[in-house]
Amino acid sequence: MGFQLTEEQKMIRAMVRDFAREEILPTAAERDRTKAFPAGILSKMGGLGLMGMNVPPEYNGAGVDTVSYSVALQEIAYACASTAVIMSVHNSVACGPIYLFGSDYLKETYLKPLAAGKKIGSFALTEPDAGSDPASQKCRAVKNRSNYVLNGTKIFITTGKNSDLTVVTAYTTKERKHRGISAFIVEKGTPGFSVGKEEEKMGLRSSDTVELLFEDCRIPEENLVGREGDGFIIAMASLDGGRIGIASQSVGLAQACIDAAISYARERVQFGKPIAQFQGIRWMIADMATQVEAARLLTFQAAAMRDRGENFTAAASMAKVFASEMANQVAYTALQIHGGYGYMSEFPVERYYRDARVLTLYEGTSEIQREVIAKHLIGR
């Protein structure tokens, strides 16, 4: 509508839409039931360039802009929110930190296979006592000759079990507070690195969320991302991009809710006519569509600001808080339109409703987004 996609962006949307609806959508409900990780799908997505979208071609990426990435992620989320969050985390907070801050060695060794979809990445910041306040984390990395020895626990790590490598934050100089946090790449199979508890979740059930344990885990010094003390900056820069990803996921999921609600309302007959002919239902759908369109435009605005090299931190937070809360409201309304059938798992809105709930929590809660926006507007 108000935001004009380029011909290339429209082509990417069409390509990803066809792929998502043919390859991902038909088995989404089954994966939700079985909690099966979509490894085969992710491999195909790698072949289409979807696992390193903002990474330049010299590192095996697609080298497209952030708006194209948002468009693609919306289409994946429409088909399966679990697959979308794996794609979002992989692109924004696994590929992102290595591309933006990593050495040539790290880009050659890790970014290339990540961007090609040959390896899957994750990002480990959250700890039992450090969620919205990353400076209160307890993970420590102590320099020992040519290694760092990492100790600590991370929780709620998306793809932590199924990823090949994880970008991990830890204190290298505790007394410097957030300026003493550093970031490291830790490969699966590194001695002292193990997967702990796997969480039982309300939604996004085919995306694993786990605890990661580090016990005297030795990391080569060349696996330090950026310099010592850059970890907080790396995390914040990566999360800004990640918030565009979650906003895009919210828009895609909400669009699926609208389409399901319209389809059901056209078929469901009560009092002698389809419920789509009742004004109450029609206005509900009109409001849903307006909310989704507003969220889509906010998301594209943040993505376009990033592409122009502008400061997009507040715009990303605005898109994330609005789109995630919108998706929850739209999922609620779509289920309401389905009546009792919406509460049954044979209808996809039941899954959409569960999948939507976490959108206001991860990659920064709604409350944190509002703090980011207020700080931008008012100052400290």
Side-chain angles (χ1 to χ4, degrees):
M1 286 186 176
F3 191 96
Q4 190 62 43
L5 296 178
T6 65
E7 288 308 309
E8 184 188 12
Q9 289 161 352
K10 288 177 184 173
M11 284 171 61
I12 289 169
R13 181 176 63 186
M15 181 268 289
V16 181
R17 179 175 292 177
D18 289 346
F19 170 79
R21 299 192 188 185
E22 289 169 18
E23 299 276 346
I24 303 177
L25 185 66
T27 51
E30 179 64 19
R31 281 194 307 280
D32 175 67
R33 276 193 292 275
T34 62
K35 297 194 286 185
F37 187 76
I41 287 169
L42 294 171
S43 179
K44 289 179 182 177
M45 286 167 63
L48 292 174
L50 300 180
M51 301 307 279
M53 292 197 74
N54 302 140
V55 175
E58 60 261 35
Y59 299 114
N60 295 337
V64 298
D65 60 9
T66 313
V67 173
S68 297
Y69 168 60
S70 175
V71 162
L73 197 45
Q74 288 174 36
E75 294 299 333
I76 300 295
Y78 183 100
C80 174
S82 291
T83 305
V85 73
I86 298 164
M87 173 183 165
S88 179
V89 165
H90 177 91
N91 272 276
S92 60
V93 289
C95 290
I98 304 171
Y99 173 56
L100 293 172
F101 298 94
S103 63
D104 290 342
Y105 165 77
L106 293 180
K107 288 174 182 171
E108 196 67 32
T109 309
Y110 298 115
L111 185 58
K112 278 188 169 181
L114 284 174
K118 306 280 188 212
K119 290 184 185 293
I120 302 296
S122 56
F123 178 73
L125 175 68
T126 304
E127 297 183 11
D129 297 316
S132 297
D133 177 18
S136 62
Q137 64 185 285
K138 293 187 171 68
C139 252
R140 297 294 298 272
V142 178
K143 187 79 183 285
N144 185 328
R145 296 182 184 164
S146 61
N147 294 294
Y148 286 90
V149 181
L150 179 61
N151 280 284
T153 302
K154 298 289 184 180
I155 61 165
F156 301 158
I157 307 306
T158 301
T159 329
K161 177 182 168 186
N162 285 288
S163 57
D164 299 288
L165 59 97
T166 305
V167 179
V168 183
T169 61
Y171 269 112
T172 43
T173 319
K174 182 74 176 174
E175 49 277 12
R176 295 192 67 206
K177 298 190 176 171
H178 65 275
R179 290 186 181 86
I181 297 170
S182 300
F184 303 89
I185 296 173
V186 187
E187 288 188 63
K188 192 178 207 171
T190 302
F193 173 31
S194 60
V195 175
K197 178 188 176 191
E198 185 168 359
E199 302 293 345
E200 273 288 335
K201 303 198 302 287
M202 175 181 178
L204 302 181
R205 290 169 59 81
S206 71
S207 155
D208 63 278
T209 302
V210 299
E211 174 185 55
L212 297 180
L213 307 172
F214 302 94
E215 299 170 78
D216 292 334
C217 177
R218 301 183 81 82
I219 306 161
E221 62 183 352
E222 56 266 29
N223 281 27
L224 174 71
V225 184
R227 298 164 304 189
E228 272 197 23
D230 283 351
F232 187 81
I233 295 164
I234 290 168
M236 293 305 105
S238 304
L239 287 170
D240 282 347
R243 285 162 185 169
I244 293 174
I246 302 307
S248 304
Q249 187 187 348
S250 301
V251 170
L253 178 60
Q255 187 64 56
C257 290
I258 289 181
D259 289 357
I262 291 171
S263 175
Y264 181 82
R266 282 174 170 159
E267 293 171 8
R268 175 66 168 166
V269 174
Q270 289 290 275
F271 306 103
K273 59 183 178 181
I275 63 170
Q277 291 180 21
F278 291 102
Q279 186 183 68
I281 301 295
R282 297 170 75 82
W283 286 15
M284 288 161 83
I285 290 169
D287 285 344
M288 291 159 74
T290 304
Q291 293 285 302
V292 172
E293 204 55 42
R296 197 190 317 272
L297 292 172
L298 268 177
T299 304
F300 283 156
Q301 163 80 348
M305 286 175 73
R306 185 189 191 201
D307 289 334
R308 292 194 298 264
E310 298 171 20
N311 185 328
F312 68 98
T313 297
S317 285
M318 287 180 182
K320 201 271 186 184
V321 68
F322 185 85
S324 62
E325 295 192 351
M326 173 280 298
N328 274 275
Q329 183 58 50
V330 165
Y332 176 95
T333 307
L335 196 153
Q336 189 71 16
I337 289 170
H338 280 70
Y341 286 109
Y343 199 66
M344 307 303 158
S345 60
E346 66 189 276
F347 282 81
V349 287
E350 182 271 341
R351 182 175 84 254
Y352 300 158
Y353 187 80
R354 288 185 289 106
D355 286 348
R357 187 59 193 89
V358 76
L359 295 169
T360 63
L361 302 173
Y362 61 11
E363 302 228 13
T365 62
S366 290
E367 292 70 31
I368 288 294
Q369 306 312 322
R370 290 185 170 97
E371 275 300 311
V372 171
I373 297 161
K375 184 177 165 186
H376 177 78
L377 295 170
I378 305 164
R380 291 192 177 274

